Amino acid sequence: QVQLVESGGGLVQAGGSLRLSCVLSGRTFSLYNMGWFRQAPGKEREFVASIPWRGGSEDYADSLKGRFAISRDNAKNAVYLQMNSLKPEDTAVYYCAASLVGSVQTVSAPDYWGQGTQVTVSS
């Protein structure tokens, strides 16, 4: 059984930081391209960041470059999203996603999704 389990969400004040984690079980993590998406209330799910199976070559939504950083640890089957200088508009449910073939940059791309973790940024 494949599982993606996110953690690390919560309530933070504007300007603060959070680090999200996601662990994949049931598959060989090091083979998967990984990504993060988010969905705010009343809005469509949108791409946040991705990292390929071999690491490096990270991609980000243009509006998030410089504030968010994605990384992975294949030994721990984990992908991370470091979020700095958070803004109220970053409030959303954040989802981890995995894709065996191709990049993880569109909603239709992932093979597997996590259940999501809530991030709330207060002003």
Side-chain angles (χ1 to χ4, degrees):
Q1 182 180 0
V2 180
Q3 276 193 311
L4 283 169
V5 180
E6 302 101 332
S7 61
L11 174 64
V12 64
Q13 289 188 333
S17 298
L18 281 175
R19 187 192 193 210
L20 306 183
S21 300
C22 172
V23 175
L24 172 69
S25 61
R27 289 291 184 271
T28 303
F29 176 80
S30 59
L31 297 179
Y32 282 81
N33 304 310
M34 301 297 297
W36 288 94
F37 291 75
R38 69 183 184 183
Q39 188 166 17
K43 295 187 177 181
E44 294 185 351
R45 192 169 298 189
E46 63 177 1
F47 169 73
V48 172
S50 65
I51 186 167
W53 63 271
R54 63 190 179 281
S57 301
E58 299 93 353
D59 283 309
Y60 298 92
D62 288 342
S63 62
L64 301 177
K65 289 179 181 177
R67 293 196 299 122
F68 287 18
I70 188 172
S71 61
R72 66 188 295 157
D73 185 339
N74 286 349
K76 296 183 178 180
N77 293 347
V79 62
Y80 307 99
L81 185 69
Q82 179 67 42
M83 305 185 294
N84 299 323
S85 302
L86 283 162
K87 305 174 181 180
E89 51 263 43
D90 294 318
T91 295
V93 178
Y94 284 72
Y95 296 90
C96 175
S99 176
L100 185 60
V101 178
S103 65
V104 187
Q105 296 189 7
T106 61
V107 175
S108 61
D111 301 309
Y112 305 107
W113 290 92
Q115 81 289 349
T117 186
Q118 177 70 47
V119 171
T120 303
V121 185
S122 63
S123 57

